[in-house]
Amino acid sequence: MGYEEMFPPMDMKWHANAAKRFASPFVDNPHDRIDVDPIILSHAAVACGYTIRDFYEKPELGIHCVGYISQLYDLLPVTHWFYSMPWTRELGLKLQYKETLPPISTGPILSEPGDVDKLRVMDKEELKKNYTLQEFYRIYDYVAKNLPMTLVPISYGFDLVGAAAELVGVENFIMWTFTEPEAAKKLVKIYTDTAVNGAAGMADKYGMAMLIVGSVLANNDIFSDEAVEEYSAKMMRYYVDQSFRKGAGPQVFYHLCGNHETDYKVFKDTLIWSPFTVFHIGYKGKNVFPSKLLKEEFSSRATIMGSVDTKLMINPNPMTVYQQAKEQLLAGRDAPKGYILGNSCECPPYTLPGNMLALVKAARDFGTYGSW
């Protein structure tokens, strides 16, 4: 039995309405209400009775769970699937599947700054025969066959600094940014060039590749504003620019996870903004990044995505979720290029359904676009 035989057909009436809502920020035609994208990943598998490990180890099953559960919560009508370290296996890292986590590294493969010179960027044709791109092809071929209305092929640069750091160990990498900055920069560049070639490989096959790229390890809990700009923001710009030049895009999702208390300022004039860009910041200090500030700084350049604290999604208090969602919606809903409500990071796998309902109900109650 294929995974597609384990799920009822998609509700096409729901999908048609959700698709208009999903497109509305980019075509300047408000529809229905503000969309909700809690970055639902392995929670979809858990909600269908599977495990977090199932989601990552059986990606066709995982992505079908995303499509199926998105109907339940009335979320985005598209399917997406990813983990935090794509393209690292091509550079020599081994990943281990875990019961309660996305795949993790079995350990660094480099220990000395001079070892970085041993790494080689794979070209596009080599990547097509290797782990990550083969995995993405499997997933999106499955979606094209079984859930074609939800198909949005995605290529993940994701955390350019964090994924590169795994190759030498995160602690070593942070130290190198002080003691061996040229080696640290070269490492991130090699990872980024590999990810660019991966995006080109996706575009070759599907004619497009939505880009997801973020600044996760590079945040104010660890780095200065200057270091975030040098190691992360400039490389995010390079990744998007080079991917566009090789046929990927045009949609871009910038995800700034963790604390970006002051470094958010360095992204504004550094990143590339397409007409189909969504910009998201998780936290400012210990609190969710305020939608009011997000709107002031970025809403003229992109659709902005405001946040409810992910910690609240596993707290048995739906009213707390509803109230924070209300505050964020009222502060951001009239953003000129549109507003999306989400979580400050990936939806927790064991999110309480009552809290998810509170998130969506807040969007229905307060997620109008300005005056209508």
Side-chain angles (χ1 to χ4, degrees), residues 288 307-329 341-343 352 354-360 362 366:
V288 290
S307 300
V308 167
D309 195 329
T310 50
K311 296 191 293 292
L312 297 183
M313 301 304 288
I314 54 172
N315 179 25
N317 189 339
M319 180 56 86
T320 306
V321 174
Y322 183 79
Q323 288 292 350
Q324 190 169 90
K326 174 185 175 181
E327 292 170 8
Q328 293 284 61
L329 284 159
L341 178 65
N343 289 331
L352 303 176
N355 289 343
M356 192 70 87
L357 176 60
L359 193 70
V360 176
F366 305 102

Side-chain angles (χ1 to χ4, degrees), residues 83-307:
Y83 55 97
S84 57
M85 290 188 288
W87 318 115
T88 53
R89 284 175 289 183
E90 286 76 0
L91 294 170
L93 209 62
K94 292 183 179 179
L95 300 184
Q96 185 177 55
Y97 290 98
K98 307 291 287 185
E99 296 302 320
T100 57
L101 294 169
I104 64 168
S105 162
T106 58
I109 58 170
L110 306 177
S111 57
E112 299 296 329
D115 292 342
V116 175
D117 293 330
K118 299 175 183 176
L119 291 178
R120 181 177 66 84
V121 176
M122 278 192 183
D123 65 31
K124 183 176 63 178
E125 298 307 318
E126 290 177 293
L127 288 176
K128 288 179 178 179
K129 302 171 185 172
N130 267 279
Y131 305 100
T132 305
L133 209 43
Q134 282 288 319
E135 194 168 51
F136 287 169
Y137 285 170
R138 274 176 48 201
I139 296 168
Y140 289 109
D141 283 354
Y142 175 88
V143 173
K145 180 179 179 182
N146 297 293
L147 294 166
M149 71 296 287
T150 72
L151 178 64
V152 177
I154 299 172
S155 190
Y156 305 94
F158 205 62
D159 184 14
L160 302 174
V161 177
E166 291 286 347
L167 298 168
V168 300
V170 173
E171 295 87 354
N172 278 339
F173 179 83
I174 294 171
M175 184 61 69
W176 286 10
T177 62
F178 295 101
T179 61
E180 303 285 347
E182 293 309 311
K185 291 174 186 175
K186 186 173 184 178
L187 185 67
V188 177
K189 177 72 163 42
I190 289 171
Y191 177 80
T192 303
D193 280 330
T194 305
V196 167
N197 289 340
M202 285 292 287
D204 276 1
K205 185 171 177 63
Y206 299 105
M208 61 174 289
M210 176 183 171
L211 304 174
I212 294 183
V213 61
S215 188
V216 182
L217 179 65
N219 70 72
N220 278 151
D221 281 340
I222 300 173
F223 293 111
S224 66
D225 293 0
E226 292 76 15
V228 171
E229 181 178 20
E230 188 65 32
Y231 285 95
S232 185
K234 288 183 178 179
M235 293 312 297
M236 290 167 69
R237 177 186 178 86
Y238 176 79
Y239 169 74
V240 172
D241 176 65
Q242 292 299 306
S243 296
F244 278 6
R245 292 175 187 275
K246 296 186 177 185
Q251 191 162 26
V252 185
F253 178 51
Y254 291 117
H255 172 60
L256 274 58
C257 192
N259 171 26
H260 293 273
E261 187 160 13
T262 57
D263 69 40
Y264 68 88
K265 298 173 184 175
V266 310
F267 293 92
K268 187 174 181 179
D269 294 323
T270 304
L271 299 183
I272 290 174
W273 308 93
S274 84
F276 307 102
T277 298
V278 177
F279 188 76
H280 177 231
I281 310 180
Y283 291 95
K284 188 176 191 300
K286 295 181 179 179
N287 301 314
V288 290
F289 200 90
S291 287
K292 182 175 184 293
L293 181 58
L294 192 64
K295 182 174 69 175
E296 290 171 355
E297 293 290 327
F298 296 98
S299 66
S300 65
R301 304 180 184 227
T303 300
I304 57 172
M305 183 163 144
S307 300

